[in-house]
Amino acid sequence: MTETKRKRNFLKPLIIGAIAVVVTGGVGAYAYDKYETAQRAKIQEAYSNVKMNVGNQINQNNNNGNNNNNNNNSNNGENGANSNSQNTDQSSNVQNNNNNNSTQQNVQNAKSQQEIRSIVAQAISTPEQNINFVKIKPEYEDDFAYQNNGAPLYVYDVEARANGLEYDVVVDAVSGKVLKVEIDN
């Protein structure tokens, strides 16, 4: 009779421990699944707020201002005509240089890091002061060579943290166009 009692005392904690592990594992899996579902929804919402054409809007605003200046110069009489002919000569020189160096980007016209911060903030629909910029690195990127006649494109590789998410953003350093956005938790 003592042996039977010992076997029962030995099995009872094992069975209770096994049940506890199964229940705890099930609850943990359920909680993890809920967490993953919430994170996926958060990332999906962040992607829906991304604006890829931010750089183009900024350039369009700058171009509108330049067109207005050219129109004002042409309305200023002879001096305006002279400056227009000078502008035409300069633009034809630029076009000739562009034809000679069609694969080279003019990096002197690259955006500043502050401008890139502003573009990224607009792209991810978050105020700039709420973003922690981890990395803003200018580099030549082969992935976008098709946009630059086969030559590496000069871009800013930006890593930022905002809204509990990590953003990897690639911005064209010259035009300011947002080329790629990846979001991770």
Side-chain angles (χ1 to χ4, degrees):
M1 186 111 144
T2 6
E3 269 184 49
T4 313
K5 206 173 192 182
R6 279 188 190 167
K7 285 184 182 178
R8 286 185 188 165
N9 287 340
F10 175 71
L11 291 176
K12 196 184 251 183
L14 277 175
I15 293 170
I16 291 172
I19 291 172
V21 167
V22 169
V23 169
T24 305
V27 170
Y30 175 77
Y32 184 74
D33 186 48
K34 283 290 194 185
Y35 169 78
E36 282 295 312
T37 303
Q39 285 301 100
R40 271 183 265 149
K42 190 175 185 180
I43 290 172
Q44 191 64 28
E45 181 183 350
Y47 271 118
S48 69
N49 291 331
V50 169
K51 299 173 187 163
M52 294 297 285
N53 294 326
V54 172
N56 289 340
Q57 292 170 356
I58 291 171
N59 285 340
Q60 287 173 355
N61 291 340
N62 289 341
N63 288 340
N64 288 340
N66 290 341
N67 289 340
N68 290 339
N69 288 341
N70 289 341
N71 290 338
N72 289 341
N73 285 341
S74 64
N75 292 331
N76 286 337
E78 290 180 20
N79 291 338
N82 289 339
S83 58
N84 275 343
S85 65
Q86 289 173 353
N87 286 342
T88 305
D89 292 340
Q90 289 173 352
S91 63
S92 65
N93 288 340
V94 169
Q95 286 175 351
N96 289 338
N97 288 341
N98 284 343
N99 290 338
N100 293 338
N101 298 323
S102 63
T103 58
Q104 290 291 323
Q105 246 184 330
N106 190 358
V107 295
Q108 287 84 13
N109 295 333
K111 304 280 185 201
S112 69
Q113 286 192 359
Q114 185 56 43
E115 289 173 311
I116 296 300
R117 287 173 186 257
S118 175
I119 290 169
V120 169
Q122 289 176 344
I124 65 174
S125 302
T126 304
E128 193 173 332
Q129 62 268 17
N130 294 346
I131 301 173
N132 177 20
F133 289 95
V134 178
K135 174 177 88 169
I136 302 176
K137 180 181 175 186
E139 61 187 12
Y140 285 94
E141 183 67 53
D142 288 330
D143 292 346
F144 303 100
Y146 64 91
Q147 295 181 356
N148 195 31
N149 297 325
L153 189 66
Y154 191 59
V155 299
Y156 276 98
D157 184 16
V158 181
E159 288 182 18
R161 290 192 177 107
N163 309 320
L165 299 170
E166 293 180 13
Y167 295 85
D168 291 323
V169 183
V170 178
V171 180
D172 185 326
V174 176
S175 72
K177 181 180 177 186
V178 178
L179 302 172
K180 179 173 131 184
V181 176
E182 289 183 5
I183 303 173
D184 198 16
N185 52 354

